[in-house]
Amino acid sequence: MSKKKSLKGYYLTTFLIGLGFFTMGLMDPLYDTYVPIFLGKYISSNSLIGTIMTLDNVLAIFLIPIFSAFSDRIDTKIGRRMPFIITLLPLAALAFGLIPISALSSLWALVLLIFVLNLAKQAVRGPVVALMPDMVPGDLRSEANGVINTMGGIATILGTILLARLMNVKVTLPKFGVVDNVLAFPVASIFVIIAVVLLFIFVKEKKSTVRPDDKEEEEKREPILKSLKVVLGEKNKSALYILISLLCWFIAYQGVLPFVGKYSVEVLGTSSGTASLAAGMVGIAYAIFAIPSGKFAHKHGRKKTIRGALICLVTVLILVFLHGVLLKSLPPTVKLLTFWALLFCFGIFWVTIVTNSFPMLWQMSTFSTVGIYTGLYYFFSQAASIISPPLSGACIDIFGYPSLFIYAAIFMTIAFITMSKVDRGEPEDGE
């Protein structure tokens, strides 16, 4: 068996590429925490709020695969991914900064800004993610993905623990007067713009965007939907089973995520400024454990690591359910701190799955199909984002908030079962 390589020579490059993930990590948690709260000012049904939160994912399920595949094909002086990054991310930042102001105007203005934001953000997400496997060898991608997820975790901490405190700061706006629940979004947008500038200056894509020996394969490559058919029709079903698995664990995650902020406010009694700290606990775990989880999987195997993390997530979700049901009599501070502690544990095992599942799919791709496989990953994860929030919102409406966590535990269990069928995607498979 050959000696495993080290990521040492790629840390700086991977860290710089992680600036793209930093922008997503900064916007996503604030968006997921506060947009349901903004919508709640106009809408009383959690199921309907969950449905509206899926509108962006409807865009994503089409845009991410298309733009990922498109970025495989283009050839420019600044690379094949960078043109998308430097145009679409600034547009997303502008729309993101305006969301709280639109929420002060009307429901339709808010929905329109959500649409514009996600049109830009979801189109650029695939090229951002595909940038790393372009530049890092296949057997090092779990560790590299750990570095990138650490960048996302740092951004989540910055957004949910520091910037979110700005939601309690009152500002004076023309037409609206003195208001709060605004300032974090435009400040976050400034950080996104800075990250894009640094990414453009310091990350130089490979000069040869499509290798000569891949040109013939490039010319014959099938469109994205036909590529999906090919992947699902392969004799070895590992790609199919990992796609089903990630569909299930994202159904679990996306069912909980849109309602954690509302849960914090309505059940635990937190303020708007501290509502995002629940997601912040997950972000702290991301930042601390993303790199170790990649190293652990590199040593012990990605499949075993993911399945172990799924067992732990089911356990944590059951404990959160019991927390909501059995600990009602505890003092509010104790309830809040124990809830945060459980979400921190959730973050440890969630980042372990995210860090190692993407590299498993990348390991099954070729240089000219990295964008296609990136698109498939997001096709299934965004499908979960469309399916899950209305269902989990309906669970809350019918059974109450604690049922949310049993819902998630069930889908994590299904993912554990389907992952047992995967037998490709380990680092040595590419040797």
Side-chain angles (χ1 to χ4, degrees):
M1 186 175 178
S2 61
K3 185 178 179 182
K4 292 185 176 179
K5 299 175 185 177
S6 168
L7 188 65
K8 187 175 181 181
Y10 292 91
Y11 268 120
L12 180 58
T13 297
T14 306
F15 176 82
L16 291 169
I17 293 171
L19 288 171
F21 243 64
F22 179 89
T23 63
M24 301 298 175
L26 197 61
M27 290 188 287
D28 287 349
L30 288 172
Y31 177 89
D32 291 327
T33 298
Y34 291 108
V35 169
I37 294 174
F38 294 153
L39 290 170
K41 295 177 181 178
Y42 299 100
I43 301 169
S44 60
S45 168
N46 285 302
S47 180
L48 182 55
I49 290 173
T51 300
I52 293 176
M53 289 295 288
T54 68
L55 293 179
D56 61 304
N57 304 116
V58 173
L59 287 173
I61 203 169
F62 295 107
L63 292 177
I64 292 176
I66 289 171
F67 277 81
S68 296
F70 184 37
S71 70
D72 277 346
R73 296 181 171 96
I74 70 166
D75 186 358
T76 74
K77 291 182 179 180
I78 59 174
R80 57 182 186 168
R81 318 295 184 189
M82 198 61 69
F84 299 94
I85 292 170
I86 63 173
T87 56
L88 294 173
L89 266 179
L91 176 60
L94 176 62
F96 184 80
L98 294 174
I99 276 185
I101 299 172
S102 71
L104 293 171
S105 301
S106 69
L107 174 61
W108 294 112
L110 176 58
V111 171
L112 178 62
L113 258 292
I114 289 173
F115 178 84
V116 173
L117 166 65
N118 286 282
L119 189 67
K121 188 178 69 171
Q122 305 300 359
V124 77
R125 191 182 290 267
V128 165
V129 175
L131 187 60
M132 186 271 277
D134 279 354
M135 304 179 73
V136 177
D139 58 341
L140 298 178
R141 288 173 187 164
S142 278
E143 293 176 74
N145 211 29
V147 174
I148 284 176
N149 282 322
T150 297
M151 295 291 291
I154 292 170
T156 299
I157 293 170
L158 176 62
T160 58
I161 295 180
L162 299 178
L163 294 185
R165 306 298 293 176
L166 297 175
M167 297 298 276
N168 290 333
V169 176
K170 295 185 181 298
V171 295
T172 302
L173 296 177
K175 183 181 177 181
F176 301 108
V178 179
V179 296
D180 56 8
N181 288 333
V182 171
L183 198 55
F185 280 69
V187 172
S189 294
I190 294 171
F191 279 101
V192 172
I193 297 297
I194 293 172
V196 172
V197 171
L198 293 175
L199 186 65
F200 177 69
I201 292 173
F202 293 108
V203 175
K204 304 301 178 185
E205 292 191 59
K206 292 178 180 179
K207 188 174 182 181
S208 178
T209 59
V210 180
R211 299 181 304 195
D213 58 352
D214 282 331
K215 285 183 179 179
E216 185 176 349
E217 182 180 352
E218 174 72 18
E219 292 170 359
K220 294 180 179 179
R221 188 176 49 223
E222 301 284 356
I224 183 67
L225 293 180
K226 289 187 179 179
S227 297
L228 178 60
K229 272 188 181 179
V230 170
V231 169
L232 299 182
E234 287 179 350
K235 185 175 180 181
N236 185 299
K237 300 297 183 182
S238 290
L240 171 62
Y241 283 119
I242 197 170
L243 289 171
I244 293 172
S245 299
L246 72 89
L247 175 69
C248 291
W249 66 57
F250 273 107
I251 285 175
Y253 181 73
Q254 294 293 349
V256 172
L257 188 65
F259 297 105
V260 167
K262 287 184 94 260
Y263 179 86
S264 297
V265 172
E266 295 178 11
V267 177
L268 300 178
T270 64
S271 68
S272 293
T274 57
S276 65
L277 286 178
M281 295 301 106
V282 178
I284 292 172
Y286 248 73
I288 296 174
F289 290 96
I291 294 175
S293 69
K295 287 181 175 292
F296 185 89
H298 188 72
K299 182 177 180 181
H300 298 285
R302 290 167 180 164
K303 175 182 172 180
K304 289 180 180 178
T305 300
I306 290 172
R307 294 191 83 212
L310 285 165
I311 293 173
C312 294
L313 280 174
V314 171
T315 303
V316 170
L317 286 164
I318 292 172
L319 290 174
V320 177
F321 167 77
L322 294 174
H323 174 275
V325 172
L326 301 179
L327 302 184
K328 292 180 179 179
S329 61
L330 290 178
T333 302
V334 175
K335 285 195 294 185
L336 187 59
L337 291 176
T338 52
F339 180 67
W340 286 346
L342 287 169
L343 287 185
F344 179 82
C345 294
F346 181 93
I348 294 173
F349 304 115
W350 178 247
V351 75
T352 299
I353 291 174
V354 173
T355 296
N356 295 296
S357 56
F358 225 148
M360 291 190 80
L361 266 183
W362 281 328
Q363 205 75 24
M364 302 174 197
S365 70
T366 66
F367 181 85
S368 62
T369 60
V370 166
I372 292 288
Y373 277 75
T374 299
L376 289 176
Y377 181 99
Y378 278 111
F379 182 90
F380 279 81
S381 63
Q382 295 301 322
S385 302
I386 294 169
I387 295 167
S388 196
L391 294 178
S392 60
C395 284
I396 295 171
D397 290 336
I398 297 170
F399 302 108
Y401 273 108
S403 66
L404 188 63
F405 307 108
I406 294 297
Y407 166 92
I410 291 171
F411 281 98
M412 290 292 187
T413 301
I414 297 171
F416 173 80
I417 295 170
T418 53
M419 272 300 295
S420 68
K421 306 291 185 179
V422 177
D423 58 14
R424 291 174 59 205
E426 299 297 341
E428 59 270 17
D429 290 344
E431 294 180 354

